């Protein structure tokens, strides 16, 4: 089903939310892929990396839990970031078995670049909306996410 072809705005309330989410995710992936360079981190690893910009000093276990990743996969992704000098991992002084993950200065700069791309895409998709509509949309999406997690 192609939402853009098969439906009209008058029928918007008859389209399942899933289809809108699917179309938005597809649009986001296309946009980001077109702007990322070959040497950039893979698109599927970007969410974990960007989260570090907002929640620095997380443990590997906390990151794995937040993203529903295995600890092994999380360690592999973090090793990739570390090899690129985007993060540092240091032993937690309170629990030596844990590693605290922090962005390096290069990592912060790169995260800000990725966030600027996200902002460009967001501006593109909400450009036909008023500020009030955007606020209402984000409030509704927030409530939906919270409800989905129950």
């Amino acid at each position: 089903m192609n939402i853009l072809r098969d439906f009209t705005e008058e029928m918007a309330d008859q389209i399942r939310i899933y289809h809108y989410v699917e179309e938005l995710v597809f649009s986001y992936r296309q946009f980001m892929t077109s702007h990322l360079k070959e040497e950039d981190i893979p698109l599927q690893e970007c969410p974990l990396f960007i989260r570090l910009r907002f929640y620095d000093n997380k443990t590997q276990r906390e990151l794995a839990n937040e993203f529903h990743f295995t600890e092994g996969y999380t360690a592999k992704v973090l090793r990739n970031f570390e090899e690129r000098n985007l993060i540092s991992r240091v032993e937690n002084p309170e629990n030596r078995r844990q590693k605290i993950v922090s962005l390096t200065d290069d990592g912060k700069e790169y995260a800000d670049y990725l966030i600027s791309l996200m902002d460009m895409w967001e501006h593109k998709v909400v450009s036909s909306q008023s500020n009030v509509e955007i606020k209402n949309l984000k409030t509704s999406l927030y409530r939906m996410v919270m409800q989905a997690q129950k």
Side-chain angles (χ1 to χ4, degrees):
M1 163 173 41
N2 184 332
I3 291 176
L4 300 176
R5 186 186 70 229
D6 296 341
F7 293 94
T8 62
E9 189 170 345
E10 293 78 30
M11 295 178 65
D13 62 328
Q14 296 176 32
I15 300 171
R16 288 179 176 78
I17 293 168
Y18 167 82
H19 294 298
Y20 290 118
V21 172
E22 187 178 55
E23 291 294 323
L24 286 170
V25 168
F26 180 75
S27 167
Y28 173 79
R29 287 182 177 278
Q30 279 190 311
F31 179 88
M32 291 296 283
T33 301
S34 72
H35 286 80
L36 292 175
K37 300 173 211 73
E38 191 172 306
E39 66 272 9
D40 286 332
I41 62 174
L43 182 59
Q44 65 270 21
E45 296 175 5
C46 287
L48 189 149
F49 184 75
I50 291 167
R51 185 74 55 99
L52 289 170
R53 185 64 171 119
F54 298 105
Y55 304 107
D56 211 12
N57 296 318
K58 288 275 193 179
T59 66
Q60 287 182 204
R61 177 171 282 152
E62 289 170 328
L63 290 167
N65 290 339
E66 283 184 27
F67 284 91
H68 310 287
F69 293 157
T70 65
E71 289 187 48
Y73 177 74
T74 303
K76 176 184 167 196
V77 170
L78 293 176
R79 192 170 30 258
N80 178 28
F81 296 164
E82 195 170 33
E83 288 170 359
R84 294 168 180 245
N85 193 37
L86 299 172
I87 66 162
S88 65
R89 292 189 282 183
V90 296
E91 193 174 89
N92 183 349
E94 296 174 13
N95 182 345
R96 302 185 117 172
R97 292 178 293 164
Q98 293 180 333
K99 296 284 188 190
I100 304 282
V101 181
S102 300
L103 290 175
T104 63
D105 288 340
D106 287 346
K108 289 176 185 174
E109 185 178 316
Y110 184 64
D112 290 344
Y113 164 71
L114 292 175
I115 291 165
S116 73
L117 291 178
M118 292 170 59
D119 289 345
M120 286 171 52
W121 176 81
E122 184 173 312
H123 177 74
K124 173 186 169 191
V125 298
V126 299
S127 63
S128 65
Q129 308 293 305
S130 71
N131 288 339
V132 171
E133 289 172 318
I134 295 167
K135 182 179 180 187
N136 289 338
L137 172 63
K138 288 184 175 189
T139 300
S140 292
L141 290 170
Y142 170 81
R143 289 179 184 156
M144 290 169 66
V145 168
M146 292 299 106
Q147 185 65 32
Q149 292 182 2
K150 288 184 179 180

